[in-house]
Amino acid sequence: MLFRFLIAVCLFLTTVFAPASASAGDLLARADTRMPGAPALDPEAEDISRVLVRKSERRLYLMADDQVVKSYRISLGDNPEGHKLYEGDERTPEGDYTLDWRNASSDFYKSIHISYPSAKDRELAHAWGLNPGGSIMIHGLPNEAGDMAFAYQGLDWTDGCIAVTNEEMDEIWQLVSNGTPIRILP
C-alpha cells in the first residue's frame, strides 16, 4: 500500500514538473519501482548446494559448499527444544532432509516443503503409537498478517515449521532449488 502511494506521488510530481510533451508511458518508465532497501542478490548465490539450520541460533544459512552465502533470522515451532516426535508437538525436526517441493499459494507467504518425516521418524512415532505429522515447511508470514507482520519478529510461533519474513522468503524461493539438502541442527 505504501509502495503504491509512493509511486503515485512520484508520478504526480513528475507530471507537474515534467515538460508538457512527456507521455504517461515516459513518466512511468522514469519512476523507480524498486523496493526500498531490497538487497542485491549475490552473483555466487546461484550455486546454493545446501541449507543449514541451527535452531539454537535461530539462523538459516544458504550454503555454497562450505561457504555461507546468505543468513536469515528464523522463527521455529512454539516448543523448539528437541527433535519433532509427533504431530502436534510444535517442534521443528532435526536431522538431514530434502527441500522437495514448493507451494506458491499456501496459507503462509510461499512455502518450501521439508521432506519430514523420514522412515526413521515414522518408525519412532509409530513405535510410540503416534502419528509423526508432516507438512513441515520453510515459509513466510501468515497471509493475513498485514500490518501486524512486525509482531512475529523474534518469536517462535509456528507449529514446527521454519519461518522468515516475506521478503526473505522471496529471496530463498529464488535461490534454492527443489532437491536441495537441508540439515537442521539443535
Side-chain angles (χ1 to χ4, degrees):
M1 183 109 149
L2 175 63
F3 184 66
R4 287 186 192 161
F5 173 76
L6 291 175
I7 288 180
V9 168
C10 204
L11 288 174
F12 172 76
L13 291 175
T14 54
T15 303
V16 170
F17 295 109
S21 63
S23 72
D26 293 335
L27 296 175
L28 188 57
R30 286 188 287 184
D32 184 0
T33 58
R34 291 173 295 167
M35 289 298 291
L41 297 180
D42 186 332
E44 297 176 22
E46 297 174 10
D47 298 323
I48 301 302
S49 57
R50 65 188 174 105
V51 175
L52 175 65
V53 173
R54 294 188 183 274
K55 289 170 51 174
S56 62
E57 296 174 11
R58 300 302 189 272
R59 302 297 297 178
L60 180 147
Y61 302 95
L62 301 185
M63 310 290 293
D65 297 320
D66 289 331
Q67 181 179 3
V68 174
V69 175
K70 298 283 181 182
S71 173
Y72 306 94
R73 170 72 170 86
I74 59 172
S75 296
L76 299 171
D78 285 332
N79 185 21
E81 299 289 323
H83 177 61
K84 183 166 194 62
L85 300 174
Y86 59 91
E87 184 173 36
D89 67 4
E90 297 188 339
R91 291 183 178 170
T92 303
E94 297 171 357
D96 293 315
Y97 300 95
T98 301
L99 300 173
D100 53 1
W101 54 270
R102 55 190 64 216
N103 183 356
S105 302
S106 71
D107 291 338
F108 300 89
Y109 184 77
K110 296 181 180 175
S111 60
I112 302 175
H113 185 258
I114 298 170
S115 63
Y116 174 88
S118 67
K120 182 180 175 184
D121 296 322
R122 281 190 290 279
E123 182 181 318
L124 180 63
H126 291 303
W128 291 1
L130 300 169
N131 179 345
S135 295
I136 302 296
M137 316 287 255
I138 299 172
H139 60 68
L141 299 177
N143 291 332
E144 70 276 359
D147 292 339
M148 295 301 295
F150 71 92
Y152 291 88
Q153 292 181 340
L155 299 177
D156 288 326
W157 57 269
T158 76
D159 288 335
C161 293
I162 299 167
V164 294
T165 68
N166 293 351
E167 293 80 14
E168 292 166 338
M169 191 63 212
D170 279 335
E171 191 170 89
I172 293 166
W173 185 271
Q174 179 184 7
L175 297 174
V176 176
S177 303
N178 290 351
T180 301
I182 180 170
R183 174 170 282 173
I184 306 170
L185 299 175

